[in-house]
Amino acid sequence: MTDQRRASSPADPPELPAAFVDAIARGDEVAAEAAARLTWFELCGRCSTAAGAALQQLDQRAYERSPLLGMLAGLCAVEAGLDPERAERLIGRAVAAAQSDSSGLMAIDRALILSADSARHQRAGSADHASSSARAAMTYAREATSRLQSVPLADLYTQIGVALHYTGEVDLALEAFAAGQAVAPTVPGPADPTEIAGLAAVFGYEGDIRLASRYLEHARAVAGAEALGSTGAVNDWIAASMIDLESFDGEGVLARLETVDTAVPFEQRVALDTVAAMARMVSGDPATGLAELETQMRSIELHTGRAVPSSAVAFARSMLQLSLGNVRVASAIVESDFAIGPTREVARARIELMRGHPGSALRRLAALSTDPLPLRTAAEASSIEVATLLRRSSAARAGSAVDYLGALLARTGLRMPLAFLPRSDFDRVVAALTAGGHSSLFDGISARSVLPDLASAQTLTARERTVLSALMDSGSAAAIARELYVSPNTVKSQLRSIYRKLGAANRQEAIMVAVERQLLAADGESDIEDDAPR
C-alpha cells in the first residue's frame, strides 16, 4: 500500500527537509540523525535524487558511527545504482548493528533500519528474510512507541504491517496496522498525499472505516487539482474501494478500476486485484471474481518472477469459494494457507456455521486469545457469535451480544462482517440489531449476505442421519432396513425425505452432499444443536 520509493522528476528535484540539509552541511551527525528519524520515509522516498547527493557530503566514517545514516546511505546508493558492493556493505553493517544487543542503538533506530531491510527483502521476493526483519522491527517499534511522539510511527507500523501481510503473517500484520492506527492522529497533518492515501487503505484494512474515510478525504485535499502518480492513485482506489464495500457498492468499485494505472509495485498490485475480486463477490458474481483473481495472480508471478504468497490471497479465495457454496474447498484453503492465529480461527468458525454446526463455531470462537483483536477480526467474530446464539432458542446471552455487535459496527463503520454470514443467519442478525435499536446501521445501504444457505445437519432428524450414515456403506433400502431392523418401506420414506432436504436426486448425489458439507463429521454436534430453531 505504501512504498519507500516515490516518483520524482530529475529536472525538478523535491526539496529535502531543511533540518536535515542544514545538519549535513554543518557535518553535524547527531543533528542529521535526529532529522533522519523525523523524516525517514520522506528521505527514503527521495533517495534517487537529492537525499543521496546530500549524504555524499558526510565523512564516510560517519556511517560507521551512525548505523541509521549508514542504512540511509546504503538504500540511496542501491536506488541510484551506485557502487552496489559498497551499498550492500553499508546496509549489512547497519542491519548487524540493529540486531546486536551490544550496539547501543535506540529502539526507534533499530525499528527503522529493520523495517527498511524487510522492505528490501520483500521486494526481492525473499519472504523468510522479510518476515524475520519485520518481526524484529515490530518488537522495537513497540518499545519505541511509549517513548516517542514526533517520529512517524504510524508510517513505520504501516511498512512493517505490509511486509508481514505479504509474507504470510496476517494476524501480526493486523496488529501492526492497529498499532499504527493507535499512534496516528485522528486528523492527519500535512504530508505527501500518496502516503496519506496509503494510511487510509491501511486503516480500511484494519477495520476503522471512519478513520480511513477521514484520511482519504485529507489525501485528496492535499493533492488538490494535481493528479496523483500511479502509486498514489492505487492507494486512493484501494482506500476508497474498501470504504465503498462497507456500503455494498461493488459496482462502483469496479467502475473506477478502469481509471487506475496498474503499473505499480508488486504488493500494491496484489492488493488491488484482491479487492477487485471481493467487489465482484459483493456484486453477485463470485465465479468471475475467483477466475480473475487466479488469473491475475499467475500473471503477476510471470511478469515479476515472484511468487504471490498464498496467505496474501487466502482470505479472498476462501470467501469466494464459500460464496460459490464450495465449503470443502474453502476449508482446505483455510487449513493450508492461513497462518495460525485469530484470523484462521474466525474463518474456521464461519465454515462450521456454514456447515450447520453452530456449537462447533462457538467453540472455535471461545478458543480465541483474550488479547484485544484487530477491529475487523473482532467484528467478524462478534457477527458469527450472534448468529450462533440466535440459532439456539435457549441463548440467554444473545441480547448483550447483539448490543455489543451493534456498538462495534457503529464505531468502526464496518458492515461486511454481516455479509459474511449465511443468508438466513444474516436475516436473523439484522432483525435482532434492528429490534435492539441499531436500525441506523443500515441507513442508505442495501445490506445483504454474500453467502448461500446450505442444507445442514439441522435439516435432518437423528433417524435420518442414521439412515444417511448407513447409505454411505449400502446400496439398497433392503440392506439398510436389515441393518437398522426396520421395514424397507420405512427406509424408503426416510430416503425420500433425506433426498428432498439435501436437494439430491439419488443416492450418489446424497452421498456427495454429505461428504461436501460434512453432515456426519462433527462429533457431539447432535446433542448441542437439537434445540436450534428450524
Side-chain angles (χ1 to χ4, degrees):
M1 294 177 186
T2 59
D3 198 294
Q4 283 189 332
R5 300 168 293 180
R6 293 201 197 110
S8 56
S9 170
D12 185 23
E15 293 183 3
L16 291 176
F20 180 76
V21 173
D22 292 344
I24 293 291
R26 297 195 311 271
D28 188 339
E29 297 169 23
V30 174
E33 273 189 336
R37 290 186 194 101
L38 294 175
T39 58
W40 178 259
F41 294 95
E42 186 176 357
L43 292 171
C44 288
R46 298 175 182 175
C47 266
S48 62
T49 55
L55 285 165
Q56 297 303 313
Q57 300 176 36
L58 280 178
D59 182 339
Q60 297 303 301
R61 288 174 296 181
Y63 303 138
E64 298 177 11
R65 294 188 291 267
S66 171
L68 188 68
L69 294 178
M71 185 69 175
L72 182 59
L75 292 173
C76 288
V78 169
E79 193 75 17
L82 302 174
D83 196 350
E85 291 185 5
R86 173 176 172 273
E88 291 300 326
R89 285 198 303 272
L90 287 170
I91 292 172
R93 188 181 298 123
V95 171
Q99 294 172 333
S100 172
D101 294 334
S102 60
S103 64
L105 281 183
M106 296 170 58
I108 186 60
D109 288 5
R110 296 178 190 269
L112 291 171
I113 290 170
L114 291 171
S115 68
D117 184 58
S118 176
R120 289 181 64 244
H121 287 301
Q122 178 193 344
R123 286 195 292 268
S126 180
D128 290 342
H129 285 96
S131 177
S132 176
S133 291
R135 280 179 164 271
M138 182 75 167
T139 299
Y140 290 119
R142 285 171 173 156
E143 183 180 337
T145 299
S146 61
R147 304 179 184 179
L148 301 170
Q149 299 298 323
S150 54
V151 171
L153 289 167
D155 288 337
L156 173 60
Y157 278 119
T158 295
Q159 185 178 68
I160 293 171
V162 169
L164 289 168
H165 179 261
Y166 289 104
T167 57
E169 303 287 349
V170 177
D171 288 301
L172 193 56
L174 284 170
E175 289 184 27
F177 293 153
Q181 174 187 317
V183 298
T186 56
V187 178
D192 184 277
T194 294
E195 295 295 341
I196 302 174
L199 285 172
V202 166
F203 294 144
Y205 181 78
E206 201 275 335
D208 196 326
I209 301 304
R210 288 187 171 184
L211 193 56
S213 299
R214 195 174 301 163
Y215 267 71
L216 180 60
E217 181 181 352
H218 186 70
R220 292 173 174 176
V222 171
E226 296 182 9
L228 290 169
S230 59
T231 297
V234 171
N235 282 345
D236 181 293
W237 183 88
I238 292 173
S241 297
M242 298 191 76
I243 293 167
D244 286 348
L245 286 179
E246 299 302 330
S247 298
F248 296 82
D249 185 14
E251 291 82 1
V253 170
L254 296 170
R256 292 196 312 274
L257 183 59
E258 300 301 324
T259 67
V260 178
D261 180 2
T262 58
V264 292
F266 176 88
E267 295 77 19
Q268 275 195 314
R269 181 69 217 213
V270 174
L272 183 150
D273 290 328
T274 301
V275 174
M278 297 296 284
R280 293 207 179 275
M281 179 178 70
V282 171
S283 298
D285 191 5
T288 299
L290 181 61
E292 289 189 351
L293 180 63
E294 302 289 3
T295 302
Q296 293 289 12
M297 293 306 102
R298 181 58 178 159
S299 176
I300 290 172
E301 292 178 349
L302 290 174
H303 283 87
T304 66
R306 294 173 56 183
V308 177
S310 57
S311 59
V313 293
F315 179 79
R317 290 181 65 227
S318 66
M319 289 305 306
L320 289 162
Q321 291 286 1
L322 281 181
S323 189
L324 291 168
N326 299 328
V327 181
R328 181 175 55 82
V329 178
S331 180
I333 292 170
V334 170
E335 296 304 318
S336 64
D337 295 345
F338 278 57
I340 296 173
T343 300
R344 186 170 74 168
E345 290 309 308
V346 172
R348 284 172 163 174
R350 181 182 294 108
I351 286 172
E352 294 295 346
L353 191 66
M354 286 283 289
R355 286 173 170 159
H357 304 154
S360 293
L362 277 177
R363 286 194 291 273
R364 292 287 187 191
L365 297 178
L368 290 173
S369 168
T370 56
D371 294 337
L373 297 174
L375 293 176
R376 189 174 294 277
T377 306
E380 291 182 12
S382 180
S383 298
I384 295 170
E385 179 187 27
V386 170
T388 61
L389 293 174
L390 291 175
R391 283 194 184 191
R392 304 181 65 186
S393 58
S394 61
R397 287 199 303 125
S400 58
V402 167
D403 285 340
Y404 171 74
L405 175 60
L408 183 59
L409 296 179
R411 160 61 185 83
T412 59
L414 290 168
R415 301 295 183 271
M416 287 304 295
L418 298 176
F420 296 158
L421 298 173
R423 290 193 185 104
S424 59
D425 291 297
F426 171 85
D427 291 340
R428 280 192 291 269
V429 172
V430 169
L433 287 168
T434 300
H438 301 287
S439 60
S440 61
L441 290 172
F442 310 106
D443 289 347
I445 64 173
S446 179
R448 56 194 177 277
S449 169
V450 300
L451 302 185
D453 281 322
L454 300 179
S456 68
Q458 267 65 54
T459 67
L460 303 179
T461 66
R463 171 55 65 175
E464 286 170 342
R465 287 196 293 270
T466 300
V467 172
L468 178 60
S469 179
L471 187 68
M472 306 283 282
D473 302 317
S474 177
S476 69
I480 295 174
R482 286 193 298 272
E483 180 182 344
L484 301 180
Y485 301 101
V486 295
S487 72
N489 286 337
T490 297
V491 172
K492 290 177 182 179
S493 175
Q494 290 169 337
L495 286 175
R496 285 194 296 270
S497 178
I498 291 170
Y499 293 166
R500 175 179 55 80
K501 290 179 179 181
L502 300 187
N506 51 44
R507 172 180 180 270
Q508 184 177 4
E509 287 187 13
I511 291 174
M512 289 177 63
V513 171
V515 172
E516 166 69 24
R517 298 172 187 171
Q518 295 192 1
L519 300 186
L520 304 175
D523 295 336
E525 278 293 329
S526 58
D527 293 335
I528 295 173
E529 315 305 347
D530 279 348
D531 63 346
R534 298 324 195 245

